[in-house]
Amino acid sequence: MSTLEVSVVTPEGPILEDTYDMVVCKADTGEIGILPKHIPLVSPLQISIARLKKGNDTAEIAISGGFMEVQPDKVTILAQSAETADHIDVLRAREAKERAEKRLQDKSDTVDRIRAEHALKRAINRLEIKS
Ligand code: ATP
């Protein structure tokens, strides 16, 4: 059976490089499943969880947005930040979530609401993997 070579890369370096049977990602248009021999594509990714399947195992990676490049035998995820479950600090994510929620409750004009909304999504995404 053919497999996909998967790389997850951030500005801090590669997070993961391995072969998998299937990759499920949340593109801007919705969830897509990539199997070997998929047609080539490039797509933005939402702040979301990428699921990498191998046999009965699934590795989950918190992706803070970015891009996915698909070639028939290779998937590259380029993300501003990405963490596998064992690298997620739950306390830090909870604190980030609380900070973002407080900012969003503040109705003053000085709050960058889009930035706070993104921070909230990143924190919820990280917590979802750990739940
Ligand atoms: P924080 O406010 O806690 O920094 P953030 O969402 O603003 O959260 P990012 O800008 O997405 O953080 O990431 C900055 C760096 O910190 C990245 O290397 C990312 O992998 C890491 N990081 C952020 N939050 C966590 C977390 N809860 N657990 C592990 N690593 C994290």
Side-chain angles (χ1 to χ4, degrees), residues 10 12 64 80-83 87-94 96 99 118-119 122-123 126:
T10 74
E12 288 167 29
S64 296
Q80 193 56 41
S81 66
E83 304 90 34
H87 282 95
I88 292 174
D89 177 340
V90 171
L91 186 61
R92 178 173 171 178
R94 280 200 194 123
R99 268 197 314 277
H118 286 164
R122 290 196 297 275
R126 289 176 175 124

Side-chain angles (χ1 to χ4, degrees), residues 4 39 61 63 73 80 99 101-102 105 108 113 129:
L4 284 165
I39 52 160
I61 305 181
I63 304 287
D73 58 353
Q80 193 56 41
R99 268 197 314 277
E101 283 169 342
K102 275 202 191 109
Q105 279 161 14
S108 68
R113 302 190 69 77
I129 285 195

